[in-house]
């Protein structure tokens, strides 16, 4: 649903200001309220809602309203999920897999059709909402990711003119920067754990699929020491398995920057026997790769 995007010089300067502003420490969930205040000045609307939507569990794990008083008596969760799949606008992301397009209710319905929907009747009309413009962001990577989980930003208007193509274009340009702002906020909320060089040695070998015995031989330490290091790594990363440790260390949202793998201790020189050179022990293992 995306096409050529147009923005005036004035709008581009406003976008640059939104992207470059220092928002300080993020709230416990979501993004800085000052960011949404700037968005309200850019795209006129009555209020704005930013939510972490878990479609699989039919709930939101956080919701931010701007202005904050807009949350009073708003959002009818049971009714929303009752009408979710029949609402072409609200279920579009899950039906199509398209998380990139910025969409309006009027992309799917005429005014008369919209007012005949259950979503309008039970969720929007009680609060005077006539027009919606929304964008969607991936929830991950990291612990907040999961099947059916997305971040949704909705601009809501009452009676009057609909959102225009200029509004859609501005949010299309801004969308990747909003996603980056959310990921930056997540990194600040969950700072990277401090792993030692030895921890990284083990993690690189874990990622290559080595067993504890193979890691011990490669690093010249005992299997008991390997287990102790793994326990420390699990605690620092907040995980409980080898696969989760590798995923968290190399693909998580916390800004971990693994160093280049260091070579382990120089292997012992093969012993010469009368019958010839003894072969080194096999170190075959299942490789574990994370998909970007």
């Amino acid at each position: 649903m995306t096409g050529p995007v147009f923005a005036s010089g004035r709008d581009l300067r406003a976008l640059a200001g939104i992207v470059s502003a220092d928002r300080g420490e993020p709230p416990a969930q979501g993004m800085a309220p000052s960011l949404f205040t700037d968005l309200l000045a850019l795209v006129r609307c009555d209020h704005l809602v930013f939510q972490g939507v878990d479609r699989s569990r039919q709930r939101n794990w956080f919701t931010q309203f701007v202005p904050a008083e807009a949350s009073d008596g708003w959002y009818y969760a049971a009714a929303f999920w009752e009408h979710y799949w029949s609402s072409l606008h609200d279920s579009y992301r899950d039906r199509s897999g398209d998380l990139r397009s910025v969409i309006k209710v009027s992309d799917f319905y005429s005014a008369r059709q919209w007012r005949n929907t259950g979503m309008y009747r039970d969720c929007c009309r009680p609060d005077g909402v006539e027009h919606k413009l929304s964008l969607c962001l991936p929830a991950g990577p990291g612990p907040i990711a999961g099947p059916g989980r997305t971040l949704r930003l909705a601009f809501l208007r009452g009676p009057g003119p609909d959102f225009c193509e200029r509004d859609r274009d501005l949010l299309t340009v801004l969308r990747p920067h909003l996603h980056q702002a959310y990921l930056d906020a997540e990194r600040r909320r969950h700072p990277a754990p401090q792993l030692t060089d030895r921890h990284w040695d083990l993690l690189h070998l874990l990622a290559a699929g080595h067993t504890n015995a193979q890691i011990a031989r490669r690093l010249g330490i005992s299997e008991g020491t390997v287990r102790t290091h793994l326990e420390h790594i699990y605690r620092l990363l907040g995980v409980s398995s080898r696969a989760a440790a590798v995923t968290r260390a190399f693909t998580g949202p916390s800004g971990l920057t693994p160093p280049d793998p260091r070579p382990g201790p120089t292997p012992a020189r093969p012993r010469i026997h009368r019958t010839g050179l003894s072969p080194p022990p096999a170190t075959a293992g299942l490789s574990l790769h994370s998909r970007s």
Side-chain angles (χ1 to χ4, degrees), residues 45-252:
C45 63
D46 297 318
H47 54 277
L48 175 155
V49 185
F50 184 50
Q51 297 174 311
V53 177
D54 189 337
R55 184 256 303 158
S56 299
R57 298 184 179 183
Q58 296 193 352
R59 68 179 184 88
N60 299 334
W61 75 89
F62 77 87
T63 302
Q64 289 180 280
F65 294 91
V66 180
E69 56 268 22
S71 63
D72 295 340
W74 194 87
Y75 187 64
Y76 309 91
F80 176 83
W81 290 111
E82 177 186 353
H83 300 301
Y84 181 78
W85 287 108
S86 62
S87 172
L88 300 179
H89 172 269
D90 292 283
S91 63
Y92 170 75
R93 317 294 184 179
D94 291 306
R95 290 183 292 103
S96 67
D98 175 12
L99 302 186
R100 294 180 177 274
S101 296
V102 178
I103 58 175
K104 303 188 292 183
V105 164
S106 55
D107 294 332
F108 305 90
Y109 299 108
S110 67
R112 176 176 293 182
Q113 290 170 333
W114 170 232
R115 290 169 185 156
N116 285 330
T117 65
M119 186 66 78
Y120 174 81
R121 182 186 64 246
D122 295 339
C123 298
C124 295
R125 185 173 63 185
D127 291 297
V129 174
E130 295 287 334
H131 308 288
K132 295 183 5 179
L133 176 69
S134 63
L135 62 84
C136 189
L137 306 173
I144 60 170
R149 282 191 153 210
T150 52
L151 304 165
R152 303 194 185 191
L153 179 62
F155 295 76
L156 308 176
R157 281 182 185 172
D162 194 2
F163 294 96
C164 63
E165 290 307 303
R166 173 257 184 195
D167 300 328
R168 193 202 306 263
D169 286 349
L170 291 178
L171 293 180
T172 298
V173 172
L174 196 56
R175 179 184 173 276
H177 300 285
L178 292 175
H179 190 213
Q180 188 59 53
Y182 180 79
L183 294 180
D184 290 344
E186 280 292 286
R187 292 187 184 101
R188 297 181 75 168
R189 280 188 284 263
H190 308 287
Q194 298 300 308
L195 300 177
T196 67
D197 287 341
R198 179 60 88 193
H199 290 155
W200 282 114
D201 289 340
L202 264 74
L203 284 166
H204 281 292
L205 293 172
L206 282 183
H210 292 290
T211 66
N212 284 3
Q214 292 167 343
I215 293 172
R217 286 198 297 270
R218 287 287 298 271
L219 299 181
I221 58 179
S222 70
E223 287 189 54
T225 302
V226 171
R227 287 192 293 270
T228 298
H229 281 313
L230 289 178
E231 290 171 1
H232 291 164
I233 290 170
Y234 292 170
R235 186 177 68 252
L236 287 170
L237 297 182
V239 299
S240 58
S241 70
R242 302 163 77 89
V246 170
T247 300
R248 173 78 169 86
F250 295 105
T251 65

